[in-house]
Amino acid sequence: MAVTRAQQPVATTTAGSAPLPVRDRLAHPALLLTGIVLVALNMRACLAAVSPMVAEIQHTFGLSATASGLITTVPVLFQGIGAPLTPRLTRRFGTERVVLGAVLVLGAGVLLRVLPSVAALYAGCVVIGVAIAVLNVSMPGLVKREFPGRAAAMTGVYSTTMLVGATMAAGLSVPLEHALGGGWQASLGSWSVLALVATVAWLPQVLRARAAGGAAVPAASAASAAASARPIEGIWRSPLAWQISLFMGISSLLVYTLVAWMPTILADHGMDRGEAGLVFAFSNLVQVAGAFLVPLFAGRMTRQRALAVSMAALNGLGIAVLLIAPVPGAWVSATILGVAQGGSLGLGLAFIVLRTDSVAGAAQLGGMSQAIGYLVAAAGPVGAGALHQLTGDWTTPLALMLVLAVVVAAAGWGAGRNRTL
């Protein structure tokens, strides 16, 4: 179903000039795009920044390996728990204010995480996870509303920006520690500045929404706004919604499992740990290309079945190379997995805007798919680690991931149908 932009309330201007929509008077498109990009930079940076610091955090608090693993697992888990709450918040307070609040909460969580207390460390992880969940669900609906004709392409822009933020944070964490001289606390705490910058950049959108809400709205605009706010009835009983959710969930599980264990898998097979880190970093860099290009292709297609199956097949191929020839094929595997993982992220987010015909519907589907997605994804690193400990090698975890790639293909085949919820 085609989605058209609602007519905007108009304001009078000087005699003889055309009236300007309230939104256009208050916020230039460049400001909107800048705000979206800066918010997106925050959505993965504070998670990726902690990875190089885990050993130091473990030493500071005397944590066990399992307790240290929770530093990265807890935010992922609470992304799943917080996601279903977001559509209710956006309906009550408006997307712009919800995004602003989530970015402020994210910055507060970053600061809470570096206080000298184990309780504060994990509480900060919870706050960060919930804030990111709200942003994850809010952004697709926002993009759908503001860029109805280019929603898939804009999804590619902000999903790419998320990965750029993650790559930047992972690369800068150690240099920031040395430059700031305050240990891991100063390095991780400094990412609250990025949240503050995003907050300032997003303020024009909140002012725009407030002014537009107070203006007189023509009948046609009111009808269009009502259609935009139409929720999806029985979404949790929809096979299409479940197919999209499983595509996102299992794809995310594959990503987070390899984020947690890929360097260790390579090192356990004899690769130098430094080179294993470079292979992993390269794979993350390649994800940027997949996250940008795949949504662009998706937006030009009426059906995305072939694209979804291709992403699943590339995931399977990359895992197979890692299983059969982990060290000789490491760089090949990293390249294939980078394209597959970035492309799957971008395509999963694109499904949210392509398979819905209202802004409220996009928020609902985002809440459902990301709730399922992150709860499933949180089990990946823990499950793979447990299987490795049980069997003594990585063959069983990787073989199981190959099976899951087939499940992703089946879910993507259903999610890629030319249908809307």
Side-chain angles (χ1 to χ4, degrees):
M1 183 179 295
V3 180
T4 56
R5 183 186 290 272
Q7 282 184 283
Q8 301 299 335
V10 297
T12 55
T13 58
T14 57
S17 63
L20 292 174
V22 170
R23 288 190 176 197
D24 291 345
R25 288 187 299 114
L26 292 171
H28 191 276
L31 278 178
L32 174 60
L33 183 59
T34 300
I36 289 173
V37 166
L38 285 171
V39 169
L41 278 174
N42 280 272
M43 291 168 65
R44 293 293 181 275
C46 60
L47 298 180
V50 78
S51 296
M53 301 291 165
V54 169
E56 292 185 48
I57 296 171
Q58 181 178 5
H59 177 73
T60 299
F61 294 115
L63 301 175
S64 66
T66 302
S68 301
L70 288 175
I71 297 170
T72 53
T73 301
V74 166
V76 177
L77 181 62
F78 275 85
Q79 285 180 63
I81 294 172
L85 306 176
T86 307
R88 226 176 268 177
L89 292 174
T90 56
R91 285 196 297 269
R92 180 170 181 180
F93 300 106
T95 304
E96 287 82 1
R97 279 190 284 181
V98 168
V99 169
L100 179 69
V103 176
L104 285 170
V105 170
L106 180 63
V110 169
L111 293 176
L112 178 60
R113 188 174 60 179
V114 300
L115 293 179
S117 159
V118 174
L121 172 68
Y122 289 115
C125 292
V126 170
V127 172
I128 287 169
V130 172
I132 293 174
V134 173
L135 294 172
N136 279 338
V137 177
S138 300
M139 294 302 282
L142 180 79
V143 167
K144 186 174 186 67
R145 186 192 71 198
E146 298 294 339
F147 305 95
R150 305 189 303 276
M154 284 304 302
T155 298
V157 170
Y158 88 80
S159 60
T160 301
T161 306
M162 286 193 294
L163 292 175
V164 169
T167 303
M168 179 177 68
L172 290 177
S173 281
V174 174
L176 279 172
E177 182 183 18
H178 297 320
L180 298 173
W184 63 267
Q185 293 93 336
S187 178
L188 294 186
S190 67
W191 292 101
S192 63
V193 176
L194 184 60
L196 179 61
V197 172
T199 299
V200 173
W202 193 253
L203 279 174
Q205 310 312 319
V206 177
L207 297 175
R208 176 187 69 163
R210 180 181 297 176
V217 182
S221 180
S224 181
S228 180
R230 183 174 64 251
I232 301 167
E233 294 184 9
I235 188 171
W236 287 88
R237 298 189 302 272
S238 166
L240 179 58
W242 274 99
Q243 287 160 348
I244 293 168
S245 299
L246 288 175
F247 178 84
M248 289 193 68
I250 301 175
S251 295
S252 298
L253 180 148
L254 297 178
V255 170
Y256 280 103
T257 301
L258 289 173
V259 164
W261 296 114
M262 187 177 180
T264 303
I265 292 170
L266 295 174
D268 284 355
H269 283 89
M271 179 177 281
D272 175 75
R273 289 192 176 274
E275 186 180 357
L278 288 176
V279 171
F280 177 64
F282 175 73
S283 183
N284 279 273
L285 185 62
V286 176
Q287 285 186 38
V288 174
F292 180 71
L293 294 174
V294 170
L296 289 180
F297 295 145
R300 297 173 184 270
M301 301 173 175
T302 56
R303 297 178 183 85
Q304 294 79 30
R305 284 178 153 179
L307 200 55
V309 172
S310 296
M311 292 302 102
L314 286 174
N315 258 316
L317 179 59
I319 293 166
V321 173
L322 197 58
L323 177 62
I324 297 168
V327 175
W331 291 95
V332 174
S333 177
T335 304
I336 296 170
L337 287 170
V339 173
Q341 292 173 350
S344 296
L345 169 65
L347 183 57
L349 293 172
F351 278 149
I352 295 172
V353 297
L354 294 171
R355 299 283 93 91
T356 55
D357 61 1
S358 71
V359 175
Q364 266 187 293
L365 180 58
M368 174 182 172
S369 61
Q370 300 201 43
I372 294 169
Y374 286 109
L375 289 174
V376 170
V382 176
L387 281 174
H388 171 64
Q389 187 171 344
L390 184 66
T391 62
D393 59 38
W394 292 104
T395 302
T396 302
L398 289 172
L400 182 57
M401 290 171 68
L402 278 176
V403 174
L404 291 175
V406 176
V407 179
V408 171
W413 182 258
R417 290 175 292 169
N418 184 23
R419 293 181 58 188
T420 55
L421 288 163

